[in-house]
Amino acid sequence: MAAVYSGIHLKLKSPRTPWPDKLKLARFAWISPQCFLPNKEQVLFDWTSHALTGYYSKKVEFPQEVLEGLWTYLDDILRSKKLQNALSHGRTLSLRLPMAQVINDRILEAASGTSSASISTVLSCCQGILSSSVLSVTYTTRYELLVELLARLCSLACSRLQLCGEHLRPQEFEVLLLVLGSYLVVQRQQANPNRVFAQVTTHLLQPLLLLRYLLGVRVWAAADDARVRQHLSRDIRGKVDAVLQSALFLPEHLPSYREELLPETDTSAPKRSATSKGLPSPVSSILKRLCDPALCDPSLHFAVRSHSVPMLFKCALDAFCKAGDNKMVCFRLLTRLVTALGFTEELTVTSTFDSANWSLALLALENLLNFSLTADIYNVAADRIQHGEAQFNLYRKVAQLLFYNPQSTVPAWYRCLKTLLALNHLIVEPDLDEMVSSAWVDADCAEVRVKKAREALLSAVLQTYTKLRQLPRLFQEVLSVICRPAADDLRLPLLTTGLQRSLTRSLLDSPPSQSVEICSLILERVQTYLLPDLEGKDDMALKLFSLSTLLHSILFGVKSLDNSTPAPVVRQMQSLMGKMLELIKLLLQLLGGKESGTLWFESVHKVALLLSYSWVEVDMLFRMHCSRYAEQSSSVTAAEGSCLLPGVVQDEWDQVFSVRPSPASQLLQQLLALQRTKQVLLGTHISPGANIQDVLCRDARFIVRAGKASFSQLSDELWDQQVTSVDATTYSAAHWFVLTSNLGLIAPYLAEEDMSHVAEVLLDSLLREDPPESAEQQGACLSVSLISKNLLESAILVELPPLYSVIVRCLCRRILGILSSTAQGSQCPALLKFGEELRAAGAEEKEASAMETSGETEGISPAWKRLESVAQEILSPSEATKLTGTQIESLTCLLKIARVVNPDAMSPEDHTECFLLLFFIGTNILPYSDTDPSEALGLLKEVYGLMTSLQSGRNVGSVLKVVHGSRLLEAAMSSLFTQSHRHLSVDPDAWLVFVKAFQDFIQCLIQVVIQRRKSVRLNLEKITSFAVGSGTCPDTQGPPGSEELASLQLRLACLSVLCQAMTSSLGQSKTLDETLIQLLAKVTEAMGPAVQLYLRGHTCGLHSQAFSVDVVRVMVQAELAWASSPTPDGGERKDLPHMGLYRSFTQQVLRELCSAPRPMDFLLSSLHFLSIYYAAAEMISEPHLGDLYVSAVQNLRTLLSAPWLSQSEVRELEAPVREVLAQLVVRSSLERFHLLLEAVREGLGVALVWSGRHKDVLSTLLLIKMLATCPLPETCSKAFWFMAPQIISAVVFVVKECSKEKPLTATLAVPALEALTSVLRQGEGLLTNPHHVTLAFGALQFIPLELPSMEEYHSAFQAVHETLFAIIQCHPQVMLKAAPSFLNCFYRLVVSVMHEGRQKGEGDSAESEVVLSCSRLVERMYTHIAATAESFTVLSSFMVAQYVSELQKVTLHPEIKRHLTEGIYKILDLCMEQDVKFLSATLPLGVREVFNELYSSYTHYHKAQKQGEEKYSA
């Protein structure tokens, strides 16, 4: 051994040994167990370190390969398990200082791009050293060395982030995060904070700030490692912030900051003594490094600085201003930081400021102001009294900076003003006119982000002046700005949709007198400033339009007058309306005789109509709701003729309406016509001698036809619902909105032609694709297509039968037009008959409605006779109509519209027309040979789906008035049987989807035939005879061909659905049952050979497996029903005719069930089949039933544990598996049941959990969950509940083991809790030992609630809650002794929902819904705890204390807080007076305040309500 030692040691030290050989020897010495060296780890580690330091200090030379090998060797040593084991057993190993310096130098070289070694290996070595507590001592005990390492790693990361196209790898950032963590620990351990400050400002501040900026602004590429993008970058930024805060803003530094920042005259805080040692000018030191040109590349310098300034201020606030102290220190720091953004001390722009940096500077300024607002460092009274308005003056300078340098294209500019307004409205009030001009009236940027920020600012302005009750003062400035000389044609609309909503809210919150005052100001401004110079001047006309728009918006936003409105306000409003009417008269006179077509005329014309409409609408509203207003207005001369304005000459009014209007004016004319209709219907505007019906019809016709021209080319433009913003592109949407939203008013007065126009526009728009909407347009903007979609889905049309009938007929005409455009369709008798019927129906609509009113029967109606002849033509043999791909696509689009039509809203005649037309399409069309067969199949699927949906509701069976159901079914089946070969090339899955739609249609029609109880036996016998004789099975032993197989599949589909419909109709009457049983026997006899032949043809092919299983299942059900009925002589049937087929088929299903991944539909069908088959086997006492039982149980377990099933798929299988399990155990013998229990016991074995066979454990848990809810025979039930304590113990063990691996929570722990809950719930009264129930608490404590996704969190939360709920509801006797354990588990839920429900800004709505759901569960549990008061009375004060202690730590979302508060109120009901006193005396100060607030609200709201309910309850 000595020889081995001396040999290797000497060779490693010998200069004669070549370096490659030395490296090999070193590797051998490290890995070989035969090489014994004293302190081998340290010797080899030192040798490697010595070699590397010698190379880099130029004392040793060797090739590059050896250099790389040495670094790799060092990395292998550091990461080897041998070294880890040695260190864990107490062996010491030290890293020499020169080696640490070498690592630092290599990182520096890599950052500068001159590295001679692989930086990946160097970083790996660095990571290995710092990951070891023993080796990292070299760095952690030498603070400057660690600072140097961190600075160089930051430089390396920055160089990587700045490289264009460089994909980021996680290694550099993982090492950086590790070093940051180590450094943070060491920094906090330093005894001298001044030294830390000096080191950080000198060496780390600049690289850390640059790193933070680059991580924050990087545009991540898909090739970047996900760990860097999602986790490492966030964690590094957090560590950087922590390093800077703990180094630069320690509490020990506060005196130094105070000395530098506070002036000598400020005596609000004590000064540092002359002998104390502190930092000299810390703020200047920081700003000097921050503004140093060497910080980074000049192009990034200002960006890094502006990005860093808010963060530094936030750190200072967190350190110095936590309890509200040192506000002036933070304010003075704010002043210094603002000047660092390129401004002078007087907050003017410096001469070197680059205007391109305004966006960055304003963003930083916004953050600084927001932090100041959030930290509440500005107290208006304290600033004025104690500090001579120092803060106010600064904020005024900031406001002036913003107004003197308006940046209306930068969203942050608006947000800065909004924050200043929130600080104190007096800051911006001296420049209110500038703000109104720059941010509102004269704003010229319509970019979305700017628009959003501008609306937020103006909404805040409106809200502020509303609270100050100075809204007229604000609008005085607005009016002044509008009336200034300006290019009015370039101004944006004064009120956007969002701003309109804010204005309405402000008006509703203001006194009515202020709204009247604002309107008066507008009218006064018009009278004094605009009207004298209005004639012929375009700019004055545009200003007039702006003011009219504002007046219109305010009048429509104010609260209506009513009988409770004060009399002075009513008089003021009456006077205002009079002035407004005079203005309208003046404008109408001004327009008289003027030439139309000019901008001036168009603007004034639009204003006259807008003010007229506003006056009429508001006047009518006030008259309806305020009797005093109506009385005072009764003296006004009534309006005459078609004019709605009193005192206006009819000729002037007619002249305004005779001018060809602009789009907005045209819309206003329609609105005025609507007002006239309303007044006529209310009886307030009836001209003497006028025919009311003619007036209403004329106005309705005018409204509909006013938009006809605009619909010739529908526009995709979205309308923002503002009347004043209507132009040529948005007019169609605005007109269509006015028309459709008032259909209930005008539809009764529309002629057939106008209703047809409405129907045509509706269909045209529905066939168009909607333009994509941005997030801010959703819900606020409308298009013609969107309005039509909402109209068709609404209940409005249902209330208008004539219009609905026209729409249905229009849809039928469209479909008929496509069919008739083909060569065959133009000569088709059925289609010609259809055309005649549609024309006749339109002409006789009024006559038909009169007949219905008079009570005549529909059978003798001419329409029904025509429909009967149409049905006969459809069922007559004719040449098929061939369609192209384009025609099929058009038909499919129309049918999708038809799917939205409500069948209950149709008349029986329209319903029958639709059905017959669809039936014609389903049975008489063929695609051309070059057409995609899948498109034709999709059309047929849509057709049969629509016919199925039509056979429900009010008109069910109406088609059977004109044709027998058996004939319809025969025609449909024969059509498909003859055409089945055409669909051979389509996707098998698509074909099966179509077959399912066809089956649904047949089943629905058969059920309608049975329910109508007219010729039921005759119809069913005809249908059965046709279905049985529609095809014969070829007498062959081989598999059928593809054409035969398709036809056979359709035949089986028809036979099986016929069986299903008849089986489901059994039990309605004895006579019907006899008929159905006979027919079922006939059908199943025909199905047997067909099924056998089909199974031979589909020995392979997953797509048809589910279909095969469903067919056989229906067959078994039918024969089971047949076997359950008595024989003609009253005996019992002991066998099923095709039991041999079922037996072999069952074995095949059991083999296929778990052998390989299977489609979900096959699994579901197979489980349903097994349930039915086992019932049949039990009924006929099938031999070997025990073997079937065992095989079924084994297959169920195997299926539930299949690795190819996802968690959601297993959930989907639970219901059918439970159905099979219930069938197995409902009449099970005790011996068989013991086999099942033995399988359960094995499935919960410890070995399965430890060996990682989690799927097997999961299958057992699911079986337990289902078994607990299955009805069991008495002997089996006793056996199960005897074993229940063992099951509970095993489940608790599973949960505890799962808690060791968090990913197992959702996959195994939650199902385990669900099984446990099921056992506890069903074990009510059966689990007599309380100890067995309390075992569950041990499981609940181990369920983790800090989970990565909200879906997992919700499932875990709900599982724990349901278990607790099962205990408190089903086992209340346990609560007497186990209440503390119960509350501990429940408290975890309360803490969790408070943590997740804290306010986080604008977050994910789905996440909020999950937490809200959990808060409801907590409230529910509190309610149940209060209901079992005898168990929790003693602990009620403890529960309240826990709640308020946790509540004090978070700020909850209002909705979540509401539910939790309602819950804790129920617990406060249990608290006695001494409990409340005890809590008030013992809770800590902050928590006590929260409790007092809670108890105050409880006393004020909940307790008072409860006492009131008790007082009036029996």
Side-chain angles (χ1 to χ4, degrees), residues 762-956:
L762 179 68
L763 294 180
D764 284 338
S765 59
L766 288 170
L767 290 171
R768 293 171 62 87
E769 289 188 7
D770 249 354
E773 294 183 26
S774 60
E776 65 277 357
Q777 289 173 331
Q778 290 178 358
C781 296
L782 297 174
S783 66
V784 177
S785 304
L786 183 61
I787 297 169
S788 299
K789 196 180 301 179
N790 292 334
L791 175 66
L792 197 61
E793 293 172 354
S794 71
I796 296 174
L797 289 177
V798 177
E799 303 296 329
L800 305 170
L803 179 59
Y804 209 80
S805 179
V806 170
I807 292 171
V808 172
R809 289 202 305 272
C810 183
L811 184 61
C812 291
R813 274 198 299 271
R814 293 280 182 105
I815 296 173
L816 193 62
I818 295 173
L819 297 174
S820 302
S821 64
T822 63
Q824 302 82 9
S826 59
Q827 305 297 323
C828 177
L831 293 180
L832 295 175
K833 278 276 186 185
F834 253 121
E836 294 174 7
E837 161 57 21
L838 289 174
R839 287 189 292 273
E844 296 178 0
E845 182 183 1
K846 291 184 179 178
E847 182 183 346
S849 62
M851 291 176 64
E852 287 180 18
T853 307
S854 64
E856 295 184 38
T857 59
E858 293 176 342
I860 61 172
S861 168
W864 288 108
K865 292 179 180 178
R866 288 195 302 272
L867 287 172
E868 190 173 350
S869 64
V870 169
Q872 298 305 321
E873 286 293 344
I874 290 175
L875 296 174
S876 320
S878 62
E879 184 182 2
T881 303
K882 291 191 175 182
L883 300 177
T884 64
T886 306
Q887 290 169 330
I888 289 175
E889 185 180 353
S890 301
L891 270 179
T892 304
C893 292
L894 287 170
L895 293 181
K896 286 179 180 176
I897 296 174
R899 183 170 284 280
V900 187
V901 173
N902 187 347
D904 289 342
M906 298 183 190
S907 66
E909 293 89 341
D910 291 338
H911 188 276
T912 305
E913 279 178 14
C914 282
F915 186 91
L916 291 175
L917 185 57
L918 291 169
F919 192 82
F920 176 84
I921 298 173
T923 56
N924 287 275
I925 66 156
L926 288 176
Y928 278 102
S929 56
D930 59 345
T931 305
D932 185 0
S934 61
E935 291 183 4
L937 193 65
L939 176 65
L940 288 177
K941 181 183 79 67
E942 193 72 34
V943 164
Y944 282 105
L946 264 173
M947 287 195 288
T948 305
S949 67
L950 285 175
Q951 294 308 309
S952 61
R954 185 168 67 92
N955 294 312
V956 62

Side-chain angles (χ1 to χ4, degrees), residues 545-769:
F545 178 69
S546 296
L547 293 182
S548 304
T549 301
L550 189 59
L551 180 61
H552 165 81
S553 300
I554 293 172
L555 285 173
F556 275 64
V558 298
K559 184 181 178 182
S560 172
L561 301 182
D562 54 30
N563 291 329
S564 64
T565 306
V569 175
V570 176
R571 286 195 296 271
Q572 290 171 9
M573 185 59 77
Q574 182 72 38
S575 172
L576 173 71
M577 296 296 285
K579 292 178 183 177
M580 189 173 169
L581 185 59
E582 292 301 320
L583 174 62
I584 296 170
K585 292 178 183 176
L586 190 60
L587 292 175
L588 293 177
Q589 293 171 5
L590 198 60
L591 287 170
K594 297 294 189 299
E595 182 183 352
S596 61
T598 63
L599 176 61
W600 180 88
F601 185 90
E602 184 179 321
S603 300
V604 176
H605 184 256
K606 193 161 38 173
V607 169
L609 287 174
L610 177 62
L611 293 179
S612 300
Y613 165 63
S614 303
W615 191 93
V616 171
E617 179 94 33
V618 173
D619 181 71
M620 182 180 177
L621 193 67
F622 289 170
R623 285 174 182 272
M624 290 173 62
H625 293 94
C626 184
S627 57
R628 282 189 302 245
Y629 178 89
E631 290 168 3
Q632 295 175 18
S633 302
S634 59
S635 59
V636 179
T637 306
E640 299 179 358
S642 61
C643 179
L644 296 172
L645 300 173
V648 174
V649 180
Q650 181 69 39
D651 292 341
E652 292 179 355
W653 185 255
D654 292 340
Q655 184 181 1
V656 171
F657 263 78
S658 63
V659 175
R660 183 181 179 184
S662 64
S665 300
Q666 197 170 5
L667 186 70
L668 289 165
Q669 289 178 354
Q670 295 166 45
L671 291 170
L672 284 165
L674 275 172
Q675 288 303 312
R676 184 163 50 241
T677 299
K678 291 176 184 177
Q679 293 190 15
V680 169
L681 289 172
L682 290 171
T684 61
H685 182 84
I686 302 176
S687 300
N691 187 321
I692 295 177
Q693 187 72 18
D694 290 345
V695 171
L696 294 172
C697 291
R698 184 176 66 248
D699 285 340
R701 183 170 60 251
F702 170 76
I703 293 167
V704 172
R705 297 183 181 181
K708 270 192 175 182
S710 68
F711 288 122
S712 58
Q713 287 186 342
L714 280 176
S715 170
D716 286 334
E717 283 292 319
L718 294 169
W719 179 50
D720 62 0
Q721 303 187 52
Q722 297 290 312
V723 175
T724 53
S725 66
V726 175
D727 56 21
T729 59
T730 58
Y731 173 73
S732 55
H735 163 73
W736 189 235
F737 176 74
V738 170
L739 174 60
T740 55
S741 57
N742 292 279
L743 267 178
L745 193 67
I746 63 174
Y749 310 105
L750 290 177
E752 177 77 18
E753 179 188 354
D754 296 324
M755 287 194 286
S756 298
H757 167 69
V758 172
E760 293 288 347
V761 173
L762 179 68
L763 294 180
D764 284 338
S765 59
L766 288 170
L767 290 171
R768 293 171 62 87
E769 289 188 7

Side-chain angles (χ1 to χ4, degrees), residues 114 437 555 756 795 1119:
T114 60
S437 173
L555 285 173
S756 298
E1119 291 198 353

Side-chain angles (χ1 to χ4, degrees), residues 192-202 244-261 272-273 275-286 320:
N192 186 352
N194 292 354
R195 178 193 180 203
V196 173
F197 182 91
Q199 286 288 334
V200 170
T201 52
T202 306
L244 294 177
Q245 178 166 352
S246 60
L248 304 180
F249 302 103
L250 281 173
E252 291 88 342
H253 295 156
L254 181 58
S256 301
Y257 281 95
R258 186 180 288 127
E259 181 179 8
E260 181 184 4
L261 293 171
R272 192 178 59 189
S273 64
T275 58
S276 61
K277 293 183 178 180
L279 295 171
S281 305
V283 178
S284 299
S285 301
I286 294 171
F320 299 152

